[in-house]
Coordinates of all heavy atoms in Angstrom, one line a residue:
M99 N 81.5 30.7 57.7 CA 82.0 30.7 56.3 C 81.1 29.9 55.5 O 80.8 28.7 55.8 CB 83.4 30.3 56.2 CG 84.3 31.2 56.9 SD 86.1 30.6 57.0 CE 86.7 31.0 55.3
K100 N 80.8 30.2 54.2 CA 80.0 29.4 53.3 C 80.6 28.5 52.5 O 81.6 28.8 51.9 CB 79.0 30.4 52.6 CG 78.3 31.5 53.4 CD 77.1 30.8 54.1 CE 76.3 31.9 54.7 NZ 75.3 31.3 55.6
V101 N 80.0 27.3 52.3 CA 80.6 26.4 51.3 C 79.6 26.1 50.3 O 78.4 26.2 50.4 CB 80.9 25.0 52.1 CG1 79.7 24.4 52.8 CG2 81.6 24.0 51.1
S102 N 80.1 26.1 49.0 CA 79.3 25.9 47.9 C 80.0 25.0 46.8 O 81.2 24.9 46.9 CB 78.8 27.2 47.1 OG 79.9 27.8 46.8
V103 N 79.2 24.4 45.9 CA 79.7 23.6 44.8 C 79.3 24.3 43.5 O 78.0 24.5 43.3 CB 79.2 22.2 44.9 CG1 79.6 21.4 43.7 CG2 79.7 21.5 46.2
D104 N 80.3 24.5 42.7 CA 79.9 24.9 41.3 C 79.7 23.7 40.4 O 80.6 23.0 40.0 CB 81.1 25.8 40.7 CG 80.8 26.4 39.4 OD1 79.9 25.9 38.7 OD2 81.5 27.4 39.0
Q105 N 78.4 23.6 40.1 CA 78.1 22.3 39.3 C 78.6 22.4 37.8 O 78.5 21.4 37.2 CB 76.7 22.0 39.4 CG 76.3 21.6 40.9 CD 74.9 20.9 41.0 OE1 74.1 21.1 40.1 NE2 74.9 20.2 42.0
N106 N 79.0 23.6 37.4 CA 79.6 23.8 36.2 C 80.9 23.1 36.1 O 81.5 22.8 35.0 CB 79.6 25.2 35.6 CG 78.2 25.7 35.3 OD1 77.3 25.0 34.7 ND2 77.9 26.8 35.8
L107 N 81.6 23.0 37.3 CA 83.0 22.5 37.3 C 83.0 21.1 37.8 O 83.8 20.2 37.4 CB 83.8 23.3 38.3 CG 84.1 24.8 37.8 CD1 84.8 25.6 39.0 CD2 84.8 24.9 36.6
C108 N 82.1 20.7 38.7 CA 82.0 19.4 39.3 C 81.8 18.4 38.2 O 81.0 18.6 37.3 CB 80.9 19.4 40.2 SG 80.3 17.7 40.9
Y109 N 82.5 17.2 38.3 CA 82.2 16.1 37.4 C 81.7 14.9 38.1 O 81.7 13.8 37.6 CB 83.3 15.9 36.5 CG 84.6 15.3 37.2 CD1 84.7 13.9 37.5 CD2 85.6 16.1 37.4 CE1 85.8 13.4 38.1 CE2 86.9 15.6 38.1 CZ 86.9 14.3 38.4 OH 88.0 13.8 38.9
G110 N 81.2 15.1 39.3 CA 80.6 13.9 40.0 C 81.5 12.8 40.6 O 80.9 11.8 40.6
S111 N 82.5 13.1 40.9 CA 83.5 12.1 41.4 C 83.0 11.4 42.8 O 83.2 10.4 43.3 CB 84.9 12.6 41.6 OG 85.0 13.6 42.7
A112 N 82.3 12.4 43.5 CA 81.7 12.2 44.9 C 82.7 12.0 45.9 O 82.5 11.6 47.0 CB 80.8 10.9 44.9
D113 N 83.9 12.4 45.6 CA 85.0 12.5 46.7 C 84.6 13.2 47.9 O 84.8 12.8 49.1 CB 86.2 13.0 46.2 CG 87.0 12.3 45.2 OD1 86.3 11.5 44.5 OD2 88.2 12.4 45.2
C114 N 83.8 14.4 47.7 CA 83.5 15.3 48.8 C 82.4 14.5 49.6 O 82.4 14.7 50.8 CB 82.8 16.6 48.2 SG 81.6 16.4 47.0
V115 N 81.4 13.7 49.0 CA 80.6 13.1 49.8 C 81.1 12.0 50.6 O 80.8 11.7 51.8 CB 79.4 12.4 48.8 CG1 78.3 11.7 49.5 CG2 78.9 13.5 47.9
Y116 N 82.1 11.3 50.0 CA 82.9 10.2 50.8 C 83.5 10.9 52.1 O 83.5 10.3 53.1 CB 83.9 9.6 49.9 CG 84.8 8.6 50.6 CD1 84.3 7.4 50.8 CD2 86.1 8.9 50.9 CE1 85.2 6.4 51.5 CE2 86.9 8.1 51.4 CZ 86.5 6.8 51.8 OH 87.3 5.9 52.5
R117 N 84.1 12.1 51.8 CA 84.9 12.7 52.9 C 84.0 13.2 54.0 O 84.3 13.1 55.2 CB 85.8 13.7 52.4 CG 86.9 13.2 51.6 CD 88.1 14.2 51.4 NE 89.2 13.5 50.8 CZ 89.5 13.4 49.5 NH1 88.6 13.9 48.6 NH2 90.5 12.7 49.1
V118 N 83.0 14.0 53.6 CA 82.1 14.6 54.6 C 80.6 14.4 54.2 O 80.0 15.3 53.8 CB 82.4 16.1 54.6 CG1 81.9 16.7 55.9 CG2 83.8 16.4 54.5
P119 N 80.1 13.3 54.5 CA 78.7 13.0 54.1 C 77.7 13.7 54.9 O 76.5 13.8 54.5 CB 78.6 11.5 54.4 CG 79.6 11.2 55.3 CD 80.9 12.1 55.1
S120 N 78.0 14.4 56.0 CA 77.1 15.2 56.8 C 76.9 16.6 56.1 O 76.0 17.3 56.5 CB 77.6 15.3 58.2 OG 78.9 16.0 58.2
V121 N 77.7 16.9 55.0 CA 77.8 18.3 54.5 C 77.5 18.1 53.0 O 76.7 18.9 52.4 CB 79.0 19.1 54.7 CG1 79.1 20.3 53.9 CG2 79.2 19.4 56.2
F122 N 78.1 17.1 52.3 CA 77.9 16.9 50.9 C 77.1 15.9 50.5 O 77.0 14.9 51.1 CB 79.3 16.8 50.2 CG 80.3 17.9 50.4 CD1 81.2 17.9 51.3 CD2 80.1 19.1 49.7 CE1 82.1 18.9 51.5 CE2 81.0 20.2 49.8 CZ 81.9 20.2 50.8
T123 N 76.3 16.0 49.3 CA 75.5 14.9 48.9 C 75.7 15.1 47.2 O 76.5 15.9 46.8 CB 74.0 15.1 49.2 OG1 73.3 13.9 48.8 CG2 73.5 16.4 48.7
T124 N 75.0 14.2 46.5 CA 75.0 14.3 45.1 C 73.5 14.6 44.7 O 72.6 14.0 45.2 CB 75.5 13.0 44.3 OG1 74.7 11.9 44.8 CG2 77.0 13.0 44.6
V125 N 73.4 15.4 43.7 CA 72.1 15.8 43.1 C 72.2 15.6 41.6 O 73.1 16.2 41.0 CB 71.7 17.2 43.4 CG1 70.3 17.5 42.8 CG2 71.5 17.3 44.9
D126 N 71.4 14.6 41.0 CA 71.5 14.3 39.6 C 73.0 14.1 39.2 O 73.4 14.4 38.1 CB 71.0 15.6 38.8 CG 69.6 15.9 39.0 OD1 68.8 14.8 39.4 OD2 69.1 16.9 38.9
G127 N 73.6 13.4 40.1 CA 75.0 13.0 39.7 C 76.2 13.9 40.0 O 77.4 13.6 39.7
F128 N 75.8 15.1 40.5 CA 76.8 16.1 40.7 C 76.9 16.4 42.2 O 75.9 16.3 42.9 CB 76.5 17.4 40.1 CG 76.6 17.2 38.5 CD1 75.6 17.1 37.7 CD2 77.9 17.1 37.9 CE1 75.7 17.0 36.3 CE2 78.1 17.0 36.5 CZ 76.9 16.9 35.7
G129 N 78.0 16.9 42.7 CA 78.1 17.2 44.1 C 77.3 18.4 44.5 O 77.0 19.3 43.6
A130 N 76.8 18.5 45.7 CA 76.0 19.5 46.2 C 76.2 19.6 47.7 O 76.6 18.6 48.4 CB 74.6 19.4 45.8
V131 N 75.9 20.8 48.3 CA 75.9 21.0 49.7 C 74.5 20.6 50.2 O 73.4 21.1 49.5 CB 76.2 22.4 50.1 CG1 76.1 22.6 51.6 CG2 77.7 22.7 49.6
I132 N 74.4 19.9 51.2 CA 73.1 19.6 51.8 C 72.4 20.7 52.2 O 73.0 21.6 53.0 CB 73.2 18.5 53.0 CG1 73.8 17.1 52.4 CG2 71.9 18.2 53.7 CD1 74.2 16.2 53.5
P133 N 71.1 21.0 51.9 CA 70.5 22.2 52.3 C 70.5 22.4 53.7 O 70.3 21.4 54.6 CB 69.0 22.0 51.8 CG 69.2 21.1 50.6 CD 70.3 20.1 51.0
G134 N 70.8 23.6 54.2 CA 71.0 23.8 55.7 C 72.5 23.7 56.2 O 72.7 24.1 57.2
R135 N 73.3 23.1 55.3 CA 74.7 23.0 55.7 C 75.6 23.9 55.1 O 76.9 23.7 55.1 CB 75.2 21.5 55.5 CG 74.3 20.5 56.2 CD 74.2 20.7 57.8 NE 75.6 21.1 58.5 CZ 76.4 20.3 58.8 NH1 76.2 18.9 58.7 NH2 77.5 20.6 59.4
E136 N 75.1 24.9 54.4 CA 75.9 25.9 53.7 C 76.8 26.6 54.6 O 77.9 27.2 54.1 CB 75.1 26.9 53.0 CG 74.1 26.2 51.9 CD 72.8 25.7 52.4 OE1 72.6 25.7 53.6 OE2 72.0 25.5 51.4
D137 N 76.6 26.7 55.9 CA 77.5 27.4 56.9 C 78.6 26.6 57.4 O 79.3 27.1 58.4 CB 76.7 28.0 58.0 CG 76.0 26.9 58.8 OD1 76.0 25.7 58.4 OD2 75.5 27.3 59.9
A138 N 79.0 25.5 56.8 CA 79.9 24.6 57.3 C 81.3 24.8 56.8 O 82.3 23.9 57.0 CB 79.5 23.1 57.0
G139 N 81.5 26.0 56.3 CA 82.9 26.3 55.7 C 84.0 26.3 56.7 O 85.2 26.2 56.3
R140 N 83.8 26.4 58.0 CA 84.9 26.4 58.9 C 85.3 25.0 59.3 O 86.4 24.9 60.0 CB 84.5 27.2 60.2 CG 84.4 28.7 60.0 CD 84.1 29.4 61.3 NE 83.8 30.8 61.2 CZ 84.7 31.7 60.8 NH1 86.0 31.5 60.6 NH2 84.3 32.9 60.5
D141 N 84.6 24.0 59.0 CA 84.9 22.6 59.4 C 86.2 22.2 58.6 O 86.2 22.3 57.4 CB 83.7 21.8 58.9 CG 83.9 20.3 59.5 OD1 85.1 19.8 59.5 OD2 82.9 19.7 59.6
P142 N 87.2 21.9 59.4 CA 88.4 21.4 58.7 C 88.2 20.3 57.6 O 89.0 20.2 56.7 CB 89.3 21.0 59.8 CG 88.8 21.6 61.0 CD 87.3 21.7 60.8
R143 N 87.3 19.5 57.9 CA 87.0 18.4 56.9 C 86.4 18.9 55.6 O 86.7 18.5 54.6 CB 86.1 17.4 57.6 CG 86.5 16.6 58.8 CD 85.4 15.8 59.5 NE 84.2 16.6 59.7 CZ 83.1 16.2 59.7 NH1 82.8 15.0 59.6 NH2 82.1 17.1 59.9
V144 N 85.7 19.9 55.7 CA 85.1 20.6 54.6 C 86.2 21.3 53.8 O 86.2 21.4 52.6 CB 84.0 21.6 55.0 CG1 83.5 22.4 53.8 CG2 82.8 20.8 55.6
Q145 N 87.1 22.0 54.6 CA 88.2 22.6 53.9 C 89.2 21.7 53.3 O 89.6 21.9 52.1 CB 89.0 23.5 55.0 CG 88.1 24.6 55.6 CD 88.8 25.4 56.6 OE1 89.9 25.2 57.1 NE2 88.0 26.3 57.1
D146 N 89.3 20.5 53.9 CA 90.1 19.4 53.3 C 89.4 19.0 51.9 O 90.1 18.8 50.8 CB 90.3 18.3 54.2 CG 91.1 17.2 53.7 OD1 92.3 17.5 53.4 OD2 90.8 16.0 53.7
A147 N 88.2 18.7 52.0 CA 87.4 18.3 50.8 C 87.5 19.3 49.7 O 87.7 18.9 48.6 CB 85.9 18.1 51.2
A148 N 87.4 20.6 50.1 CA 87.7 21.6 48.9 C 88.9 21.6 48.4 O 89.1 21.6 47.1 CB 87.3 23.0 49.6
E149 N 90.0 21.4 49.1 CA 91.4 21.3 48.6 C 91.6 20.1 47.8 O 92.3 20.1 46.8 CB 92.4 21.3 49.8 CG 92.5 22.6 50.6 CD 93.4 22.5 51.8 OE1 94.0 21.5 52.0 OE2 93.4 23.6 52.6
R150 N 90.9 19.1 48.2 CA 91.1 17.8 47.4 C 90.1 17.4 46.2 O 90.3 16.5 45.5 CB 90.9 16.6 48.4 CG 92.2 16.6 49.4 CD 91.9 15.7 50.6 NE 92.9 15.7 51.6 CZ 94.0 14.9 51.5 NH1 94.2 14.0 50.5 NH2 94.9 15.0 52.5
C151 N 89.1 18.3 46.1 CA 88.2 18.2 44.9 C 89.0 18.2 43.7 O 89.7 19.2 43.3 CB 87.2 19.3 45.0 SG 86.2 19.4 43.5
P152 N 89.0 17.2 42.9 CA 89.6 17.1 41.6 C 89.4 18.0 40.7 O 90.2 18.3 39.7 CB 89.4 15.6 41.2 CG 88.1 15.2 41.8 CD 88.0 16.0 43.2
S153 N 88.2 18.7 40.7 CA 87.9 19.8 39.7 C 87.9 21.2 40.3 O 87.4 22.1 39.7 CB 86.6 19.4 39.0 OG 85.6 19.4 40.0
Q154 N 88.3 21.3 41.7 CA 88.3 22.6 42.3 C 86.9 23.2 42.2 O 86.8 24.5 42.0 CB 89.4 23.4 41.8 CG 90.8 22.8 41.9 CD 91.9 23.8 41.5 OE1 91.7 24.6 40.7 NE2 93.0 23.5 42.2
A155 N 85.9 22.5 42.3 CA 84.4 22.9 42.3 C 83.9 23.4 43.6 O 82.9 24.0 43.5 CB 83.6 21.9 41.7
I156 N 84.7 23.2 44.7 CA 84.1 23.5 46.0 C 84.7 24.8 46.4 O 85.9 25.1 46.5 CB 84.5 22.5 47.0 CG1 83.8 21.1 46.6 CG2 83.9 22.9 48.4 CD1 84.2 19.9 47.5
S157 N 83.9 25.9 46.8 CA 84.3 27.2 47.2 C 83.9 27.4 48.7 O 82.9 27.0 49.1 CB 83.7 28.3 46.3 OG 84.1 28.2 45.1
I158 N 84.9 28.0 49.3 CA 84.6 28.5 50.8 C 84.7 30.0 50.9 O 85.8 30.4 50.4 CB 85.4 27.7 51.7 CG1 85.2 26.2 51.8 CG2 85.3 28.2 53.1 CD1 86.1 25.3 52.6
T159 N 83.7 30.7 51.2 CA 83.8 32.1 51.2 C 83.3 32.6 52.5 O 82.7 32.1 53.3 CB 82.8 32.7 50.0 OG1 81.6 32.2 50.2 CG2 83.4 32.3 48.6
D160 N 83.6 34.0 52.8 CA 83.3 34.7 54.0 C 81.8 34.9 54.1 O 81.3 35.0 55.2 CB 84.0 35.9 54.2 CG 85.5 35.7 54.4 OD1 85.8 34.6 54.9 OD2 86.3 36.6 54.1
S161 N 81.2 35.2 53.0 CA 79.7 35.5 53.1 C 78.8 34.5 52.5 O 79.3 33.4 51.9 CB 79.4 36.9 52.4 OG 79.9 36.7 51.1
Ligands
SF4_382 S1 84.7 16.2 45.0 FE1 84.5 17.9 43.6 S2 84.2 16.9 41.6 FE2 83.9 15.4 43.1 S3 81.6 15.4 43.5 FE3 82.6 16.8 45.1 S4 82.5 18.8 44.1 FE4 82.2 17.3 42.4

């Protein structure tokens, strides 16, 4: 499952980076998925980070 961050929704709280630093980072002050980690959507910590993102900017999809 793929994880992605919509930078149009993200406001840069960095909560996701704090929760799962092996998957999320910040780029220009906004959350982003570390290149090569886009397939981490099955990780329960990533799913938790998506649920807790204050702007609901993190998506987990099948493809
Ligand atoms: S938790 Fe959400 S709002 Fe905060 S940096 Fe991550 S994607 Fe952006």
Side-chain angles (χ1 to χ4, degrees):
M99 295 174 79
K100 303 289 186 187
V101 58
S102 61
V103 174
D104 184 339
Q105 295 198 334
N106 291 316
L107 295 176
C108 171
Y109 66 79
S111 70
D113 290 31
C114 56
V115 181
Y116 175 77
R117 290 199 168 88
V118 199
S120 61
V121 172
F122 297 102
T123 187
T124 54
V125 175
D126 296 333
F128 294 101
V131 177
I132 294 173
R135 298 308 314 275
E136 296 87 351
D137 62 349
R140 287 192 193 282
D141 186 331
R143 298 172 305 153
V144 171
Q145 295 175 0
D146 184 58
E149 289 173 9
R150 292 171 184 267
C151 169
S153 62
Q154 300 184 330
I156 301 172
S157 297
I158 297 174
T159 57
D160 287 336
S161 57

